[in-house]
Amino acid sequence: PPPYGAAPPPALPPAHNLDEERREEETAAFLDGVARQSRFVRALMATMLLEEDRHGPLSSSSRRGRTTAATAKAEDQEEFTIAPLYGPPLVLYEGACAGFPNPQRAAAATLFRIAALCSSPDVDPAVADPFWRTVWMSDHRSLLPAEAQRATAAAACASFLNRLADEEDGPCVPKGRGPRRDRYLGSTLPWVRGKLLEGLRMNLEESLAQAAAEASNDDPSASSATTSKKRPAVLSVIRRFRVLQACLSLLRDPSLFDPAVAIVADAIAAFPEDAIPALFADEDSIRSLLDLFVVRASDVGGGGRATPVARTRRLVSYLIVGAAERRGAFGSAVEKFGLRTKAIASICAACLAADEEGDDEPYHPGRGEEGTTFYDDVDVSHACLVGLVDIFAAAERKKGRKTPPSRGGRSASGAGGGGSGSKLPAMSMTSNEAKALSSALGKKVSDMVLARFVNRAKDQQQGGSTHGFAGADDAEAEDSITDAPEVKLLCALASCSDALPALFKVGGLQALSLVATEGELSAIEAMHEACRDDPNVILQVEGHVSVMHVLTDDNEANANTTREKARSVEAACLGLLTSLCAGGRRGREAVAGAEECDDCVDFASETAVSKAARDHPGDFRTEQSEAGEDGQNEPVEEDANASRGTAASAASPPGDDDDEGLLEVAAFAFLAELVRAERYRRRFLADPSLIEAASALSKKSPSAKLRRSAIEFLAELAPFVDDGDGIDGEVGDGDGVPLSPERLASIFCSLLGADDKADATSSSPVKAPTMTTGFLAGRKSSAAVGGGGSRKPVARNGLDDDLLVPALAASGLGCVLHLLPAERTVPALGAACDLFARAADASWIGSAKSTAGLRGAPVRRPNGGLLCCNVAGLLLEAVGVRPSREAILGHPRLVPAMLRLVLLKAGSDALDDDKKGGRKPNGGGGTDANSNDGGDNSDDDLLWDAAVVHSLQCLSALSRPASSEAKLLTSSSSSSSSWRELVSSAESIAWDALSKRRGARQVARAFQEAGLEEDGDGDVEGDGGKKPISLRSVLERIGADKTNPAASVAARRVVRQIIAR
């Protein structure tokens, strides 16, 4: 140690510093000797390229795009071949070399280590530059053309980059894990890649610039390199050595970001038709593009890099749009490689980043920056939506190629678009995707849609809309609205009910209402879905006015839309208006008070009238003329509605697949809801054409839905029809006299089965009517169902819909029955009685022709309960009038049918309760399988219970002493019968029908436990024994049930008036 107070000696440098200095000196000496040995460097390069050259040109089968056989053959002949620019390779041999499996890998590793030393920032450029000039071939060789020389040097750089792509097991990667490997990945590899990218760009720049200039000057249709022109060598290099893919793989390194992007941009500008498909033919390239799409300025060198990053995002946007426009190449590639989730997430992030970083602002290059390029004007937000639409449409395009079209001509539609009336392509997205997109991009998409409509309005104002929407420019503007990606995406999101709440929170409903004015079906359906939850949200954005414009505006821009699609759109509009009216008084007043409502009513009325005149011309005209002969309404001349020609032509014949008449169904439903508005109700009552059209369609249309909607409209009108005092002053736009109760009743009677031209003056006061429309028969002749005699028989769509029509007719008849004269009331009641007996027996006994034959199992239908309930209610209203009461009491089938219904319903309930209690049949003949309770549900049981209550009330009124002198007729003969005989016959038939369900013993036990049998009943199996179900027991049980006072009181009266006497 030094003496106290002396300065310490200077510290000696560490030993490793001496070693480092010695290594640096050795490296400098090595580079000074090797880097200048151009022949050795060229030999290493030739050795590396030797393996590439042995592979030969790429086969045409690996290319993407559509090419003919001749073009593919010419391309193969023109493929680039590496020129012997670097001289002969090293002499190689088979076997291991310097720790590598073969000499080729050893040569590549040696070349990389030399390149790494020459790329180090600590190395004097004067020492390293000779090496890179040799690799890049910077010195001109007069023996070869300049283009071939640059192409070969570019191929060498690209080949070198491809060898460095594998960062795990590549020939240049140090073995094992440690500092050497970390230094390789963190320093030497980026240095070498940067130099190679520099040489690659230097050799491609001139050729790409020349090709880009030629492409911009040539015809766009001939810009592809697959035309008759000779393929440029630089394009062959790009394709064969996967230059674009290699550049994209280097974008993760911020230091390589600029040169890699520059090479990709230059190549796309020069060869867009070849470069864009090539980028989307490789999974790694797509992943790199998606990663590049979401890169931020902070990811590539700090906040000062905002402009290059924004331009890079615009470049990717240009690629996405270009690929999407090429037969959906972007979406198809994403689906093919399973990158859907990543692509959607990346595009959403890029769309949001574009707003934050101002990507959509115009680019103005500063001093020292490059001028505006071909992608600087790309709208990033627009490109993002184009990409999303292409992704969601790709799955549906794939389904369309693999599955045949449906019989109805409709493609398999997904979440939105693609329907029979939609102008948009079918798109498929999951519920989670729709909800996420609505939350992330819903506001932006809605704002873009609103901005598009605002811009169109400004353009029309500035251009002076003297031509309206009829001009060619206006037609193109209309097409641009529905073709816009934001409109497509908005409608697709709105088609998912789970996404609607999030979408509406950000203004999506207002945007949808504007899209609906263009007649876009998916937008209208989305608004209809929102209306079901809360009609007020539609009224707030005046959505009802939007769909009214679709029905009323004469928009010639949609002239190319097929009539089938137009009908679907019109039906959706009417359906939305109907839902708004049905949602409450506020909605109905808003629709009825709109200025366009009159035109919508005209459209709906003319649609219904033209349907009847077209499908049933004979019946339609006959009914009108008959109405005129009866003096009920004035006859309608053929030219009386000439002013309706426009809408009549709009309601032209539907396509072959429109058997259901959905537009006419929607029209009647809309008109039925407006009946509650006094102004339109007066108008309907004074429109004979509309009434006769509803009459003809309710009776003759082969469509059950159309028959139902037509009769519903008439039933809604029925409460407001009186004997002429109900309509005072003006009656609306109609030019006919008010609808009379007699005419409306004749329509209802014909639907119930009575002939409206029945002999009202017949001397017989009670005439059993016949079923002429066959609602229970299932099939009838063409004269009874289809109208003209030349038409084929029409099969009904099912018993449910067929029974619903007379059920509604019975409800409507009850509103006008008190206004009819006696000579018309009796036939109407006779038809109602006959229909009640048929429906009740068919549902509970199973015989449609005989109450005693018991042929066929009973078939319970939901609408059968509604029919019997409505008819029984109708009879209950009429039973207070003496002629009506006598007609009902004298009907041969009604009273027996009511007695059987009371017994059968009580017995069936007892069997059902026994079954629910866990008791199973263990003997006897029948089983539960013999009963067909297809309509046994809560609503159906409620209707049948109501029918039983009405029947008991009718029986209570009919069995009063004042009616005792009236004759009781049976179905088997016209002779009178006593009440006792009718009760005994009903008990016998009910027992026979119910015992088939499980067997006599099981049924008898269930009835005994339920208290439905009378004390002292005889043997079940004996022929002379009394059947173990008693009307008295049934009525006493109903009378004891205080939960239903109406049924209890009626049952007690029937016991006192029928059973006790």
Side-chain angles (χ1 to χ4, degrees):
Y4 179 78
L12 297 176
H16 68 274
N17 287 346
L18 296 177
D19 295 339
E20 186 69 24
E21 291 179 0
R22 186 163 48 253
R23 279 197 297 271
E24 290 178 358
E25 293 174 357
E26 293 174 354
T27 299
F30 173 78
L31 290 178
D32 188 53
V34 174
R36 298 179 183 276
Q37 298 295 324
S38 58
R39 288 186 58 190
F40 176 67
V41 174
R42 288 199 299 271
L44 290 176
M45 293 292 295
T47 303
M48 181 189 66
L49 291 174
L50 179 64
E51 187 174 358
E52 293 285 348
D53 200 28
R54 286 175 179 172
H55 292 308
L58 293 178
S59 62
S60 59
S61 61
S62 64
R63 303 189 185 104
R64 296 291 187 264
R66 300 181 61 184
T67 58
T68 62
T71 304
K73 182 177 180 180
E75 290 177 8
D76 289 341
Q77 293 176 352
E78 297 172 6
E79 275 292 352
F80 171 76
T81 302
I82 299 176
L85 189 64
Y86 289 99
L90 297 175
V91 178
L92 304 178
Y93 59 90
E94 299 293 337
C97 177
F100 293 92
N102 53 62
Q104 291 90 341
R105 293 178 68 93
T110 303
L111 181 62
F112 172 79
R113 290 177 182 176
I114 297 174
L117 293 175
C118 294
S119 303
S120 174
D122 298 331
V123 175
D124 186 3
V127 178
D129 286 348
F131 171 81
W132 288 115
R133 284 199 301 270
T134 303
V135 173
W136 297 341
M137 282 294 161
S138 301
D139 299 331
H140 179 65
R141 303 284 297 275
S142 59
L143 299 179
L144 289 176
E147 182 181 3
Q149 180 175 333
R150 291 194 298 267
T152 299
C157 293
S159 177
F160 205 164
L161 283 173
N162 291 333
R163 285 184 172 273
L164 299 179
D166 187 357
E167 298 180 359
E168 294 294 333
D169 299 321
C172 306
V173 180
K175 305 300 180 182
R177 303 285 180 180
R180 291 186 59 196
R181 190 183 186 93
D182 295 339
R183 186 166 56 251
Y184 168 82
L185 296 176
S187 301
T188 56
L189 183 61
W191 293 342
V192 175
R193 283 174 169 173
K195 285 293 186 178
L196 292 175
L197 281 176
E198 182 181 350
L200 182 62
R201 186 180 185 188
M202 180 182 65
N203 285 284
L204 293 178
E205 188 173 19
E206 184 176 348
S207 299
L208 292 178
Q210 182 180 359
E214 294 177 356
S216 61
N217 295 330
D218 289 346
D219 184 5
S221 61
S223 62
S224 174
T226 59
T227 59
S228 58
K229 296 182 179 181
K230 183 177 180 180
R231 174 183 293 273
V234 65
L235 177 59
S236 299
V237 171
I238 292 174
R239 290 174 57 88
R240 176 177 173 180
F241 292 95
R242 299 171 56 83
V243 172
L244 300 181
Q245 289 81 352
C247 292
L248 290 177
S249 66
L250 303 179
L251 296 176
R252 297 186 301 271
D253 191 339
S255 63
L256 307 178
F257 186 84
D258 287 348
V261 170
I263 294 173
V264 173
D266 293 343
I268 293 171
F271 309 107
E273 297 298 327
D274 295 88
I276 294 178
L279 284 175
F280 291 96
D282 180 75
E283 180 180 357
D284 293 335
S285 300
I286 299 176
R287 288 183 179 274
S288 299
L289 285 174
L290 295 176
D291 292 337
L292 182 61
F293 209 20
V294 297
V295 71
R296 299 281 184 135
S298 58
D299 299 332
V300 289
R305 305 280 299 170
T307 298
V309 169
R311 297 184 68 190
T312 301
R313 195 174 290 119
R314 292 183 182 184
L315 172 62
V316 180
S317 301
Y318 176 86
L319 293 176
I320 290 177
V321 174
E325 292 176 349
R326 288 167 172 80
R327 304 177 66 86
F330 175 68
S332 301
V334 169
E335 288 290 330
K336 177 182 177 181
F337 297 113
L339 300 175
R340 180 184 177 106
T341 302
K342 178 178 178 61
I344 294 174
S346 299
I347 291 175
C348 290
C351 192
L352 297 176
D355 291 338
E356 297 174 4
E357 299 185 1
D359 288 10
D360 290 335
E361 296 295 329
Y363 169 69
H364 302 288
R367 178 177 296 180
E369 293 183 351
E370 297 182 3
T372 303
T373 59
F374 62 95
Y375 58 84
D376 279 328
D377 294 332
V378 174
D379 187 339
V380 177
S381 299
H382 173 84
C384 290
L385 301 188
V386 169
L388 289 174
V389 170
D390 199 36
I391 291 173
F392 296 134
E396 292 300 323
R397 288 197 301 266
K398 187 176 181 181
K399 292 179 183 177
R401 289 193 296 268
K402 289 186 176 182
T403 58
S406 61
R407 292 181 59 186
R410 299 178 181 179
S411 62
S413 60
S420 61
S422 177
K423 305 175 186 177
L424 307 182
M427 287 185 281
S428 174
M429 67 175 68
T430 65
S431 176
N432 291 334
E433 290 173 343
K435 289 189 290 185
L437 285 174
S438 297
S439 300
L441 298 181
K443 179 173 175 54
K444 184 174 183 64
V445 173
S446 301
D447 292 344
M448 292 175 67
V449 171
L450 295 175
R452 184 171 290 274
F453 279 92
V454 171
N455 292 335
R456 187 181 69 172
K458 290 181 179 178
D459 293 341
Q460 290 174 354
Q461 257 186 339
Q462 295 174 357
S465 56
T466 57
H467 301 289
F469 289 97
D473 295 339
D474 293 326
E476 292 177 0
E478 288 289 326
D479 292 339
S480 65
I481 290 289
T482 55
D483 291 340
E486 57 266 28
V487 174
K488 298 177 182 179
L489 187 60
L490 178 67
C491 294
L493 293 175
S495 299
C496 180
S497 58
D498 294 337
L500 287 177
L503 192 63
F504 291 167
K505 287 180 181 179
V506 294
L509 186 58
Q510 185 177 3
L512 276 175
S513 66
L514 291 177
V515 177
T517 60
E518 306 298 318
E520 176 49 45
L521 180 61
S522 56
I524 300 170
E525 291 176 342
M527 294 175 64
H528 200 171
E529 184 69 25
C531 179
R532 294 187 179 98
D533 296 334
D534 185 6
N536 292 328
V537 299
I538 303 297
L539 300 177
Q540 291 173 1
V541 298
E542 296 187 345
H544 60 293
V545 178
S546 299
V547 297
M548 284 181 175
H549 281 298
V550 179
L551 297 174
T552 59
D553 288 350
D554 184 16
N555 192 348
E556 297 183 10
N558 296 326
N560 294 329
T561 303
T562 63
R563 189 60 207 148
E564 178 189 353
K565 292 183 178 180
R567 285 174 62 86
S568 300
V569 172
E570 292 160 356
C573 293
L574 291 174
L576 176 57
L577 295 177
T578 302
S579 297
L580 287 172
C581 293
R585 181 178 179 181
R586 180 182 177 186
R588 183 169 59 255
E589 291 179 350
V591 172
E595 182 180 354
E596 298 83 359
C597 189
D598 287 343
D599 294 334
C600 293
V601 171
D602 287 339
F603 174 83
S605 301
E606 291 155 1
T607 297
V609 171
S610 61
K611 175 70 172 178
R614 181 175 65 249
D615 292 357
H616 312 286
D619 300 308
F620 184 52
R621 291 170 186 158
T622 299
E623 291 188 3
Q624 288 186 351
S625 62
E626 290 172 352
E629 292 172 3
D630 293 342
Q632 309 301 332
N633 286 318
E634 294 294 333
V636 181
E637 301 294 338
E638 292 185 3
D639 59 346
N641 293 320
S643 61
R644 296 181 177 181
T646 302
S649 62
S652 56
D656 294 338
D657 60 339
D658 192 13
D659 296 332
E660 296 296 330
L662 295 180
L663 177 58
E664 289 76 17
V665 171
F668 275 121
F670 173 59
L671 297 177
E673 288 297 333
L674 284 182
V675 168
R676 302 179 186 179
E678 182 179 0
R679 179 164 68 97
Y680 291 108
R681 179 171 66 248
R682 292 172 177 266
R683 178 175 174 177
F684 300 154
L685 291 172
D687 189 349
S689 298
L690 179 60
I691 300 301
E692 298 307 327
S695 173
L697 293 173
S698 64
K699 292 184 289 187
K700 301 297 184 179
S701 175
S703 169
K705 293 181 179 179
L706 185 52
R707 293 197 307 273
R708 173 183 175 179
S709 61
I711 193 60
E712 281 181 338
F713 169 67
L714 295 175
E716 288 289 335
L717 281 176
F720 305 100
V721 176
D722 56 18
D723 55 358
D725 296 333
I727 300 180
D728 300 325
E730 297 183 359
V731 294
D733 296 336
D735 52 3
V737 297
L739 177 64
S740 67
E742 290 83 357
R743 178 61 192 135
L744 189 58
S746 67
I747 297 174
F748 292 142
C749 289
S750 64
L751 294 171
L752 291 176
D755 188 2
D756 60 345
K757 294 299 181 181
D759 187 7
T761 62
S762 173
S763 59
S764 175
V766 179
K767 181 180 179 181
T770 58
M771 293 290 291
T772 59
T773 51
F775 290 109
L776 292 173
R779 291 176 181 263
K780 292 297 288 183
S781 63
S782 59
V785 177
S790 61
R791 297 184 62 178
K792 297 181 179 180
V794 181
R796 294 302 189 193
N797 292 346
L799 190 57
D800 291 356
D801 289 328
D802 288 336
L803 287 179
L804 183 57
V805 172
L808 295 172
S811 176
L813 182 60
C815 298
V816 297
L817 188 65
H818 65 286
L819 301 174
L820 300 180
E823 61 271 14
R824 286 186 174 270
T825 303
V826 171
L829 293 177
C833 293
D834 191 70
L835 191 58
F836 179 92
R838 290 174 180 268
D841 289 345
S843 298
W844 294 95
I845 298 178
S847 173
K849 296 182 179 180
S850 173
T851 58
L854 299 176
R855 293 189 295 270
V859 179
R860 289 181 56 184
R861 302 294 184 178
N863 292 329
L866 177 63
L867 174 61
C868 290
C869 177
N870 288 353
V871 172
L874 169 65
L875 299 178
L876 186 60
E877 293 181 8
V879 79
V881 182
R882 183 180 181 86
S884 300
R885 182 172 64 252
E886 292 179 354
I888 296 172
L889 189 61
H891 192 277
R893 299 182 60 184
L894 177 67
V895 172
M898 285 186 170
L899 293 174
R900 290 193 296 268
L901 177 60
V902 173
L903 290 167
L904 288 166
K905 184 64 171 67
S908 179
D909 290 344
L911 294 179
D912 290 340
D913 293 340
D914 182 69
K915 183 179 179 180
K916 292 177 181 178
R919 304 180 183 91
K920 297 183 180 180
N922 52 16
T927 63
D928 287 332
N930 290 335
S931 64
N932 186 354
D933 293 337
D936 190 12
N937 51 53
S938 58
D939 292 337
D940 187 57
D941 285 338
L942 179 64
L943 292 171
W944 281 113
D945 288 337
V948 170
V949 174
H950 290 337
S951 298
L952 288 173
Q953 291 173 326
C954 285
L955 292 173
S956 173
L958 293 174
S959 61
R960 290 199 302 265
S963 303
S964 59
E965 63 265 15
K967 292 183 179 180
L968 288 170
L969 302 180
T970 63
S971 59
S972 59
S973 68
S974 59
S975 61
S976 61
S977 301
S978 64
W979 283 102
R980 183 180 297 276
E981 292 175 349
L982 292 179
V983 171
S984 177
S985 175
E987 290 174 345
S988 177
I989 293 174
W991 165 253
D992 290 339
L994 293 170
S995 62
K996 287 189 174 183
R997 293 184 59 176
R998 296 190 185 179
R1001 292 186 180 277
Q1002 297 296 326
V1003 174
R1005 179 186 54 77
F1007 289 171
Q1008 184 179 8
E1009 294 180 0
L1012 299 183
E1013 68 173 1
E1014 213 171 348
D1015 295 338
D1017 286 343
D1019 185 15
V1020 173
E1021 297 179 354
D1023 295 336
K1026 195 174 183 179
K1027 305 304 180 183
I1029 184 170
S1030 166
L1031 181 62
R1032 174 189 287 271
S1033 301
V1034 171
L1035 294 177
E1036 288 177 350
R1037 183 183 182 188
I1038 296 176
D1041 185 7
K1042 297 182 180 181
T1043 60
N1044 191 342
S1048 177
V1049 172
R1052 292 177 184 181
R1053 287 179 179 175
V1054 174
V1055 171
R1056 184 173 63 253
Q1057 296 170 185
I1058 297 179
I1059 306 299
R1061 69 183 180 184

mmCIF file of all heavy atoms in Angstrom, residues 471-490:
data_model
loop_
_atom_site.group_PDB
_atom_site.id
_atom_site.type_symbol
_atom_site.label_atom_id
_atom_site.label_comp_id
_atom_site.label_asym_id
_atom_site.label_seq_id
_atom_site.Cartn_x
_atom_site.Cartn_y
_atom_site.Cartn_z
ATOM 1 N N GLY A 471 -82.637 10.976 -62.284
ATOM 2 C CA GLY A 471 -81.467 11.068 -63.125
ATOM 3 C C GLY A 471 -80.485 9.951 -62.881
ATOM 4 O O GLY A 471 -80.509 9.260 -61.876
ATOM 5 N N ALA A 472 -79.554 9.806 -63.821
ATOM 6 C CA ALA A 472 -78.559 8.743 -63.691
ATOM 7 C C ALA A 472 -77.630 9.017 -62.533
ATOM 8 O O ALA A 472 -77.248 8.120 -61.794
ATOM 9 C CB ALA A 472 -77.776 8.621 -64.999
ATOM 10 N N ASP A 473 -77.263 10.292 -62.344
ATOM 11 C CA ASP A 473 -76.378 10.616 -61.227
ATOM 12 C C ASP A 473 -77.052 10.325 -59.893
ATOM 13 O O ASP A 473 -76.432 9.835 -58.954
ATOM 14 C CB ASP A 473 -75.972 12.089 -61.299
ATOM 15 C CG ASP A 473 -75.132 12.383 -62.529
ATOM 16 O OD1 ASP A 473 -74.550 11.414 -63.062
ATOM 17 O OD2 ASP A 473 -75.074 13.550 -62.958
ATOM 18 N N ASP A 474 -78.331 10.634 -59.810
ATOM 19 C CA ASP A 474 -79.058 10.356 -58.576
ATOM 20 C C ASP A 474 -79.158 8.867 -58.328
ATOM 21 O O ASP A 474 -79.101 8.397 -57.196
ATOM 22 C CB ASP A 474 -80.455 10.968 -58.637
ATOM 23 C CG ASP A 474 -80.402 12.499 -58.640
ATOM 24 O OD1 ASP A 474 -79.502 13.037 -57.985
ATOM 25 O OD2 ASP A 474 -81.246 13.122 -59.304
ATOM 26 N N ALA A 475 -79.334 8.112 -59.396
ATOM 27 C CA ALA A 475 -79.397 6.654 -59.230
ATOM 28 C C ALA A 475 -78.086 6.126 -58.693
ATOM 29 O O ALA A 475 -78.057 5.246 -57.830
ATOM 30 C CB ALA A 475 -79.738 5.987 -60.558
ATOM 31 N N GLU A 476 -76.969 6.691 -59.190
ATOM 32 C CA GLU A 476 -75.672 6.259 -58.674
ATOM 33 C C GLU A 476 -75.523 6.650 -57.208
ATOM 34 O O GLU A 476 -74.941 5.913 -56.410
ATOM 35 C CB GLU A 476 -74.559 6.888 -59.515
ATOM 36 C CG GLU A 476 -74.513 6.348 -60.949
ATOM 37 C CD GLU A 476 -73.440 7.046 -61.756
ATOM 38 O OE1 GLU A 476 -72.759 7.926 -61.199
ATOM 39 O OE2 GLU A 476 -73.292 6.715 -62.947
ATOM 40 N N ALA A 477 -76.072 7.818 -56.852
ATOM 41 C CA ALA A 477 -76.000 8.226 -55.443
ATOM 42 C C ALA A 477 -76.802 7.289 -54.570
ATOM 43 O O ALA A 477 -76.391 6.938 -53.461
ATOM 44 C CB ALA A 477 -76.516 9.663 -55.291
ATOM 45 N N GLU A 478 -77.964 6.848 -55.061
ATOM 46 C CA GLU A 478 -78.760 5.895 -54.299
ATOM 47 C C GLU A 478 -77.997 4.591 -54.103
ATOM 48 O O GLU A 478 -77.992 4.000 -53.031
ATOM 49 C CB GLU A 478 -80.081 5.626 -55.032
ATOM 50 C CG GLU A 478 -81.052 6.783 -54.993
ATOM 51 C CD GLU A 478 -81.636 6.973 -53.615
ATOM 52 O OE1 GLU A 478 -81.837 5.966 -52.917
ATOM 53 O OE2 GLU A 478 -81.872 8.116 -53.233
ATOM 54 N N ASP A 479 -77.367 4.119 -55.187
ATOM 55 C CA ASP A 479 -76.608 2.877 -55.077
ATOM 56 C C ASP A 479 -75.456 3.027 -54.105
ATOM 57 O O ASP A 479 -75.118 2.105 -53.373
ATOM 58 C CB ASP A 479 -76.091 2.461 -56.456
ATOM 59 C CG ASP A 479 -77.226 2.052 -57.387
ATOM 60 O OD1 ASP A 479 -78.311 1.719 -56.868
ATOM 61 O OD2 ASP A 479 -77.035 2.094 -58.612
ATOM 62 N N SER A 480 -74.825 4.228 -54.084
ATOM 63 C CA SER A 480 -73.681 4.406 -53.189
ATOM 64 C C SER A 480 -74.103 4.328 -51.733
ATOM 65 O O SER A 480 -73.319 3.938 -50.879
ATOM 66 C CB SER A 480 -73.010 5.752 -53.479
ATOM 67 O OG SER A 480 -73.889 6.817 -53.155
ATOM 68 N N ILE A 481 -75.342 4.709 -51.434
ATOM 69 C CA ILE A 481 -75.814 4.632 -50.052
ATOM 70 C C ILE A 481 -75.889 3.184 -49.603
ATOM 71 O O ILE A 481 -75.358 2.797 -48.561
ATOM 72 C CB ILE A 481 -77.188 5.314 -49.921
ATOM 73 C CG1 ILE A 481 -77.044 6.827 -50.086
ATOM 74 C CG2 ILE A 481 -77.824 4.984 -48.579
ATOM 75 C CD1 ILE A 481 -76.364 7.516 -48.953
ATOM 76 N N THR A 482 -76.559 2.354 -50.372
ATOM 77 C CA THR A 482 -76.727 0.959 -49.961
ATOM 78 C C THR A 482 -75.451 0.148 -50.143
ATOM 79 O O THR A 482 -75.309 -0.902 -49.520
ATOM 80 C CB THR A 482 -77.862 0.314 -50.772
ATOM 81 O OG1 THR A 482 -77.604 0.465 -52.174
ATOM 82 C CG2 THR A 482 -79.190 0.969 -50.436
ATOM 83 N N ASP A 483 -74.543 0.617 -50.998
ATOM 84 C CA ASP A 483 -73.283 -0.095 -51.188
ATOM 85 C C ASP A 483 -72.219 0.305 -50.181
ATOM 86 O O ASP A 483 -71.171 -0.333 -50.118
ATOM 87 C CB ASP A 483 -72.741 0.162 -52.598
ATOM 88 C CG ASP A 483 -73.589 -0.505 -53.664
ATOM 89 O OD1 ASP A 483 -74.325 -1.445 -53.307
ATOM 90 O OD2 ASP A 483 -73.538 -0.081 -54.827
ATOM 91 N N ALA A 484 -72.461 1.339 -49.420
ATOM 92 C CA ALA A 484 -71.462 1.820 -48.466
ATOM 93 C C ALA A 484 -71.214 0.763 -47.396
ATOM 94 O O ALA A 484 -72.162 0.160 -46.879
ATOM 95 C CB ALA A 484 -71.932 3.123 -47.823
ATOM 96 N N PRO A 485 -69.967 0.529 -47.032
ATOM 97 C CA PRO A 485 -69.686 -0.511 -46.027
ATOM 98 C C PRO A 485 -70.271 -0.187 -44.667
ATOM 99 O O PRO A 485 -70.652 -1.090 -43.924
ATOM 100 C CB PRO A 485 -68.157 -0.569 -45.992
ATOM 101 C CG PRO A 485 -67.709 0.753 -46.519
ATOM 102 C CD PRO A 485 -68.732 1.160 -47.530
ATOM 103 N N GLU A 486 -70.368 1.100 -44.313
ATOM 104 C CA GLU A 486 -70.941 1.431 -43.016
ATOM 105 C C GLU A 486 -72.418 1.072 -42.956
ATOM 106 O O GLU A 486 -72.929 0.651 -41.903
ATOM 107 C CB GLU A 486 -70.731 2.914 -42.688
ATOM 108 C CG GLU A 486 -71.283 3.870 -43.715
ATOM 109 C CD GLU A 486 -70.247 4.290 -44.745
ATOM 110 O OE1 GLU A 486 -69.323 3.498 -45.003
ATOM 111 O OE2 GLU A 486 -70.366 5.400 -45.271
ATOM 112 N N VAL A 487 -73.123 1.205 -44.087
ATOM 113 C CA VAL A 487 -74.530 0.828 -44.127
ATOM 114 C C VAL A 487 -74.671 -0.688 -44.011
ATOM 115 O O VAL A 487 -75.520 -1.210 -43.284
ATOM 116 C CB VAL A 487 -75.184 1.354 -45.418
ATOM 117 C CG1 VAL A 487 -76.611 0.832 -45.544
ATOM 118 C CG2 VAL A 487 -75.174 2.878 -45.432
ATOM 119 N N LYS A 488 -73.838 -1.406 -44.731
ATOM 120 C CA LYS A 488 -73.879 -2.864 -44.659
ATOM 121 C C LYS A 488 -73.601 -3.363 -43.248
ATOM 122 O O LYS A 488 -74.305 -4.247 -42.736
ATOM 123 C CB LYS A 488 -72.857 -3.462 -45.630
ATOM 124 C CG LYS A 488 -73.103 -3.124 -47.091
ATOM 125 C CD LYS A 488 -72.004 -3.697 -47.965
ATOM 126 C CE LYS A 488 -72.195 -3.333 -49.418
ATOM 127 N NZ LYS A 488 -71.104 -3.860 -50.277
ATOM 128 N N LEU A 489 -72.586 -2.795 -42.617
ATOM 129 C CA LEU A 489 -72.224 -3.244 -41.276
ATOM 130 C C LEU A 489 -73.283 -2.847 -40.260
ATOM 131 O O LEU A 489 -73.605 -3.626 -39.344
ATOM 132 C CB LEU A 489 -70.864 -2.671 -40.893
ATOM 133 C CG LEU A 489 -70.266 -3.189 -39.588
ATOM 134 C CD1 LEU A 489 -70.080 -4.698 -39.646
ATOM 135 C CD2 LEU A 489 -68.943 -2.506 -39.289
ATOM 136 N N LEU A 490 -73.848 -1.662 -40.395
ATOM 137 C CA LEU A 490 -74.893 -1.223 -39.463
ATOM 138 C C LEU A 490 -76.100 -2.155 -39.533
ATOM 139 O O LEU A 490 -76.646 -2.557 -38.498
ATOM 140 C CB LEU A 490 -75.298 0.210 -39.795
ATOM 141 C CG LEU A 490 -76.419 0.795 -38.933
ATOM 142 C CD1 LEU A 490 -75.952 0.970 -37.494
ATOM 143 C CD2 LEU A 490 -76.894 2.123 -39.501
#
